[in-house]
Amino acid sequence: MNPVKPGETPRTPWIVGVSGASGTPYAAAVLRGLLAAGESVDLVVSRASRLTLLDETGISFRDAHWREDLREWLERGADGKSGTFEVDVEGDRVRYWSAGDLAAGPSSGSYPAKGMLIVPASTACVAGVALGLSKDLLQRVASVTLKEGRRLVVAVRETPLNGQTLRNLVALDEAGAVVLPASPAFYAGATHIQDLVDFVAGRALDAAGVPHRLYRRWKGELGGGSRPEA
């Protein structure tokens, strides 16, 4: 788990950016998946996403108490029930950077990082990254990730998509990002809202090359999703 490659350090993290789009359970599932895989995580939570998190979970994400608030968030299931998961966010495996801190470590290409996942990505976030605006740390880190040739996964969460957003997504694809719409699938045998959330999170981790067991993979057998996995 978490192999160290040439040019990396024992703590070369994945950076997870959470923008203001609906879909905070997707971000929680990705964070749990990264930690379960033994990866280190640097977290950037945008100002708009704090409002979404409060609306969707009732959790106020506070800079001064981020570890406590993060634990409460990650322990909740997609159905809002507390204590669904056990998550360890202590120590240096998780670092948090304020979205307004443009002098933060990840704002520089010299800061070691494996890549970045933006989950969920709002259309405003997509536009900012596509245009290279860097109006906050989340957008700045995304720009750094692209210029350094690292993996950038953008889990856009919006419907319908207008022409401008589609053009921005094409621009991100051409820049080397992985455009990953938050589109749950049902062939994996989903029986609970958490299954649908985990499918999207699992596909995001697939795009990043991080191993996980969040969803049942297709094995070429019709009806396989409705049978218990051996």
Side-chain angles (χ1 to χ4, degrees):
M1 316 296 281
N2 192 21
V4 178
K5 299 178 181 178
E8 296 181 348
T9 69
R11 194 196 183 281
T12 300
W14 283 97
I15 302 170
V16 176
V18 186
S19 80
S22 176
T24 55
Y26 292 132
V30 165
L31 288 165
R32 287 192 297 265
L34 288 170
L35 294 175
E39 300 286 349
S40 297
V41 173
D42 277 24
L43 177 63
V44 181
V45 179
S46 76
R47 292 179 62 186
S49 69
R50 293 171 188 246
L51 298 177
T52 307
L53 183 63
L54 179 62
D55 183 55
E56 294 185 344
T57 68
I59 297 172
S60 296
F61 197 90
R62 304 160 295 175
D63 284 351
H65 303 278
W66 69 266
R67 202 180 298 272
E68 174 186 341
D69 297 335
L70 177 62
R71 182 185 301 105
E72 182 181 0
W73 178 21
L74 298 190
E75 288 179 349
R76 291 195 182 195
D79 57 4
K81 292 183 180 178
S82 301
T84 301
F85 299 97
E86 292 186 8
V87 183
D88 181 9
V89 297
E90 299 301 323
D92 200 37
R93 289 191 59 203
V94 182
R95 291 180 184 173
Y96 167 72
W97 303 94
S98 172
D101 185 4
L102 291 176
S107 68
S108 171
S110 65
Y111 184 85
K114 291 185 176 181
M116 181 181 191
L117 301 96
I118 305 177
V119 186
S122 66
T123 55
C125 175
V126 166
V129 176
L131 296 174
L133 295 182
S134 296
K135 73 178 184 65
D136 62 7
L137 181 61
L138 194 158
Q139 292 183 13
R140 170 60 184 169
V141 175
S143 295
V144 168
T145 301
L146 289 175
K147 81 179 183 68
E148 295 296 324
R150 298 166 183 162
R151 181 59 57 95
L152 174 64
V153 180
V154 180
V156 60
R157 214 303 308 161
E158 186 59 271
T159 190
L161 297 171
N162 62 27
Q164 186 58 60
T165 297
L166 291 169
R167 286 187 284 273
N168 288 332
L169 291 173
V170 169
L172 288 180
D173 176 78
E174 291 176 343
V178 176
V179 175
L180 192 143
S183 301
F186 295 84
Y187 64 79
T191 59
H192 188 276
I193 185 174
Q194 189 67 54
D195 298 326
L196 299 176
V197 167
D198 285 347
F199 180 87
V200 172
R203 294 299 288 152
L205 294 177
D206 286 344
V210 177
H212 66 86
R213 299 185 64 183
L214 286 176
Y215 68 87
R216 182 197 305 266
R217 297 186 181 277
W218 174 250
K219 298 181 181 179
E221 299 177 4
L222 292 177
S226 63
R227 296 193 296 269
E229 191 168 20

